[in-house]
Amino acid sequence: MTATLNETLTLLLIEDDAGDAFLVEELLKEAEAPPRITWVRTLGEAKAKLGPSVQCVLVDLSLPDASGLEALKEVLELASDAAVLVLTGLRDVHVGVAAVQAGAQDYLVKQDVDARLLARAIRYAMERKRADLAQRRLVEAELTAKENARLETGLLPVPLLRTHELRHTTRYLPGSQGQRLAGDFLDTVQTPDGSVHVVVGDVCGHGPDEAALGVALRIAWRTLVLAGQTGDPLLRTLDTLLRAERKSPEIFTTLCAVTITPDLSHARMRVVGHPPPVVVRDGVVGVVPGAPSGPPLGIFPDVRWTELNVPLGERWSMMLYTDGLIEAAVGEGLLGVDGLLGLVRQHGVIDVDRLIGEVGTLTDDLAAVVVSRGGT
């Protein structure tokens, strides 16, 4: 009966006996799609051949330079994505069983191999390896999802807000680039004197390291605000923390930190290399003038950031956001700050959900906080 392999594959044969190697090659020639076979005599020679292109490995565990499970362990480490079948003699069947327990997909007794059995064993080993890899990816995805959920809990805190005079809305949305976790963060805290403090920040880059750094910066910001620290001293402390915790010196962070006075009629802010907040006052839409008030954190030492003073009045609305909003794809270009202002003017109010719905695809993560007073 002719052996049937479902695909043409690249196979590495590690066998020091020329007669056994010749037999394997001849048997596989009978397959419907004979594999491309590379034959080596030792594990040392195999190391130079093992790579991503090798889909299956047949290995004799009695090699001149390695034997038993020691040889198998090295093969499994060098070809982690390849199916591995072990060749044994009649007296070494127990070694084949141990090899499967150690990670090989199957074992074959040389004296019992024929064309049909060999082809079927290779095919089944390939399928088992695919199933193993799929299971491994599933487990990794589940672990990543759990870690992301834990980090997102840190990125999305419950606001500490006592006043009922303000309407407070937050949004945190992943971008379209593989839904990777990013370092965007936000927070709102009202201190005992009645001041309302808001921050929105963005750690450059994507991934769990950046997200964890965003969580650390947000928690540090909340702690410092509750301890009574604001302004440049707070930012310099965050800058020190960023430099100590980041994985590489290229990592920087932009943010906008706002303090609204206890009577809710005035705001002081520092826009640290960040997009300018949008403010609607008595129906007039604009961005905060003078922004940004200084460079991002983590770029220059001993920086001073200019404080921007913004009169708000009785009826107003303010939105702090990360650049995922203004970098959203609109037509053939990006929304930009001017496009964002145009949409807010069309709506007459800052409706973050409507804005997100109209800009279309978010290519980057978005964190936004909207604070409103007086029914705006």
Side-chain angles (χ1 to χ4, degrees), residues 70-301:
E70 175 191 350
L72 175 64
K73 181 180 178 181
E74 293 206 43
V75 170
L76 291 173
E77 290 177 352
L78 293 169
S80 59
D81 291 337
V84 177
L85 286 89
V86 168
L87 300 174
T88 71
L90 283 173
R91 290 178 296 181
D92 297 321
V93 174
H94 65 285
V95 177
V97 174
V100 172
Q101 293 173 342
Q105 274 61 60
D106 206 345
Y107 74 93
L108 295 169
V109 178
K110 296 179 183 180
Q111 290 83 351
D112 294 338
V113 170
D114 58 24
R116 178 177 174 275
L117 176 61
L118 180 57
R120 186 176 65 180
I122 291 174
R123 182 171 67 249
Y124 288 176
M126 295 285 293
E127 292 303 321
R128 281 194 291 273
K129 187 62 179 182
R130 290 192 184 99
D132 291 344
L133 292 175
Q135 178 65 24
R136 187 172 69 187
R137 286 192 291 268
L138 178 61
V139 171
E140 290 173 351
E142 290 175 349
L143 292 175
T144 299
K146 290 179 181 179
E147 181 67 10
N148 286 354
R150 187 182 70 80
L151 290 172
E152 285 175 350
T153 300
L155 292 166
L156 304 176
V158 176
L160 300 181
L161 195 60
R162 301 187 309 277
T163 180
H164 298 292
E165 293 187 53
L166 293 180
R167 187 176 68 182
H168 180 268
T169 304
T170 64
R171 292 293 181 268
Y172 189 98
L173 297 174
S176 62
Q177 305 300 315
Q179 304 248 335
R180 297 172 300 170
L181 199 65
D184 294 17
F185 59 93
L186 53 86
D187 204 351
T188 302
V189 171
Q190 188 170 17
T191 46
D193 66 351
S195 298
V196 177
H197 307 265
V198 184
V199 68
V200 168
D202 185 0
V203 179
C204 70
H206 293 83
D209 288 341
E210 289 75 10
L213 184 54
V215 171
L217 291 171
R218 185 201 65 75
I219 294 174
W221 177 86
R222 174 176 281 209
T223 303
L224 292 168
V225 168
L226 291 174
Q229 192 171 104
T230 59
D232 277 9
L234 181 149
L235 294 176
R236 281 194 288 269
T237 302
L238 293 182
D239 183 79
T240 300
L241 175 65
L242 170 65
R243 293 172 187 273
E245 296 292 331
R246 63 188 177 184
K247 298 298 182 181
S248 68
E250 293 78 22
I251 300 295
F252 62 88
T253 298
T254 71
L255 63 84
C256 179
V258 176
T259 298
I260 303 169
T261 56
D263 62 5
L264 309 180
S265 65
H266 195 91
R268 303 186 306 275
M269 64 181 66
R270 284 169 170 78
V271 184
V272 182
H274 201 77
V278 174
V279 180
V280 179
R281 290 170 288 190
D282 296 322
V284 178
V285 179
V287 295
V288 173
S293 55
L297 301 177
I299 301 294
F300 305 109

Side-chain angles (χ1 to χ4, degrees), residues 4 59 67 126 148 160 180 185 216 240 259 312 315 326 363 371:
T4 57
V59 55
S67 62
M126 295 285 293
N148 286 354
L160 300 181
R180 297 172 300 170
F185 59 93
T240 300
T259 298
L312 298 174
R315 296 173 58 86
I326 56 176
T363 57
V371 184

